[in-house]
Amino acid sequence: MRRFQGTVAWFCECQGWEPVAAWIAAIPFADWPQQTRLTDGQLRPAMVSDLAWHGFGEVTEELVRFFGRQLPWMPYNRLLSVVMPGAGIDPHRDQQAPEWITRVHVPLLTNKSAWLDCGGKSFNLKVGYAYEVNTEAVHAARNEGETPRVHLMIDYKES
């Protein structure tokens, strides 16, 4: 079984990301589920995994199919992650299922000051491209820019 052992790696140029980015840009961040950050007590948009939320599953299905034509594995988890300006996601490791292969990050909205830190390096992931991310490695996100950073994330497992 091929399990991604790197940190962050460019995967491919995306096709079909534009309608997903337009869809997410039209949803007010107040409509996102909210969570209170322990470090500062502020409300921030939470990750979304509910495929029914604002039609998330339907809107992202074509993009998931695009990756299905590129990869021999099966998608089994879809998430939307938003990091608001001045906010971040603290360093952590995700515990993945034994059959997990990789997570694909698809930046939908970002800026030149939004960073994914992994393996002691900082990465500015660009819209229009997909990246493999090893979420079992210690990783964090920070947005030092003035606009939200939103990524679609898809986990893959053996088919």
Side-chain angles (χ1 to χ4, degrees):
M1 172 172 72
R2 176 212 180 266
R3 194 172 189 124
F4 182 50
Q5 297 297 314
T7 54
V8 177
W10 180 86
F11 171 64
C12 72
E13 190 168 342
C14 291
Q15 293 178 2
W17 64 271
E18 297 94 337
V20 181
W23 163 78
I24 202 66
I27 297 173
F29 286 102
D31 285 2
W32 284 62
Q34 301 290 310
Q35 64 184 354
T36 302
R37 289 196 31 97
L38 297 177
T39 53
D40 62 10
Q42 295 292 313
L43 278 177
R44 302 272 196 268
M47 283 196 190
V48 173
S49 60
D50 177 2
L51 296 181
W53 181 79
H54 286 267
F56 171 41
E58 183 179 332
V59 170
T60 57
E61 188 61 32
E62 186 54 40
L63 197 50
V64 171
R65 282 192 198 121
F66 168 77
F67 291 120
R69 294 187 292 272
Q70 317 291 316
L71 297 167
W73 313 303
M74 178 185 311
Y76 72 96
N77 190 31
R78 242 180 275 189
L79 302 160
L80 282 171
S81 171
V82 61
V83 180
M84 297 302 282
I89 298 171
D90 295 332
H92 65 284
R93 292 177 192 254
D94 295 349
Q95 188 170 7
Q96 297 292 359
E99 66 275 9
W100 179 83
I101 300 291
T102 193
R103 176 170 287 170
V104 172
H105 270 243
V106 182
L108 299 172
L109 304 174
T110 194
N111 62 70
K112 64 181 180 175
S113 298
W115 303 96
L116 178 64
D117 301 323
C118 192
K121 295 182 180 177
S122 294
F123 302 87
N124 178 253
L125 307 185
K126 308 289 184 208
V127 169
Y129 299 94
Y131 302 83
E132 277 191 271
V133 176
N134 181 355
T135 61
E136 291 182 316
V138 174
H139 60 285
R142 57 194 161 90
N143 184 353
E144 299 166 351
E146 297 181 11
T147 59
R149 168 273 207 195
V150 180
H151 286 191
L152 168 65
M153 302 179 299
I154 309 164
D155 286 318
Y156 288 89
K157 66 180 182 177
E158 285 287 338
S159 346

